[in-house]
Amino acid sequence: LSIRAGVNALQLRLVTDSISVGTFKHHLNTLTRNSAIGLIVMVIIFILLAQIPFATMLLSNGFFITAGGFALGWFASLLAKGQIKPISHPD
């Protein structure tokens, strides 16, 4: 879902009218929220497994790649939100 929201947001990035900018911001907010929730869940799983001796050894590289992907999606969407501005056209 986060990847789909990111793709939709990137497609809308080229549009300049205010309605599309609002839609783009909505997609970025969704991406930010989903990435943050996923990252928090991954951290909670890691913390809970750290309480069991040797349980963290069971985690594969995929776990850490997924957690890193959530962190990257969250950070990138925050950066993108700061750069959204409608382009004003001279009338």
Side-chain angles (χ1 to χ4, degrees):
L1 293 175
S2 293
I3 292 173
R4 187 179 316 146
V7 169
N8 288 340
L10 288 174
Q11 289 173 345
L12 291 172
R13 180 72 170 105
L14 301 176
V15 182
T16 59
D17 63 353
S18 62
I19 294 172
S20 296
V21 169
T23 303
F24 181 63
K25 285 184 180 182
H26 172 71
H27 284 293
L28 278 178
N29 287 336
T30 303
L31 180 62
T32 303
R33 185 181 63 247
N34 290 345
S35 297
I37 290 170
L39 182 60
I40 290 169
V41 168
M42 299 300 268
V43 168
I44 290 171
I45 290 170
F46 183 79
I47 290 171
L48 292 175
L49 285 177
Q51 304 304 314
I52 304 170
F54 304 107
T56 54
M57 294 175 61
L58 300 174
L59 297 175
S60 67
N61 288 338
F63 177 86
F64 297 105
I65 290 171
T66 304
F70 281 130
L72 181 63
W74 176 75
F75 184 69
S77 62
L78 287 179
L79 286 177
K81 277 200 276 186
Q83 297 184 9
I84 301 173
K85 297 175 191 124
I87 298 174
S88 58
H89 298 286
D91 293 326

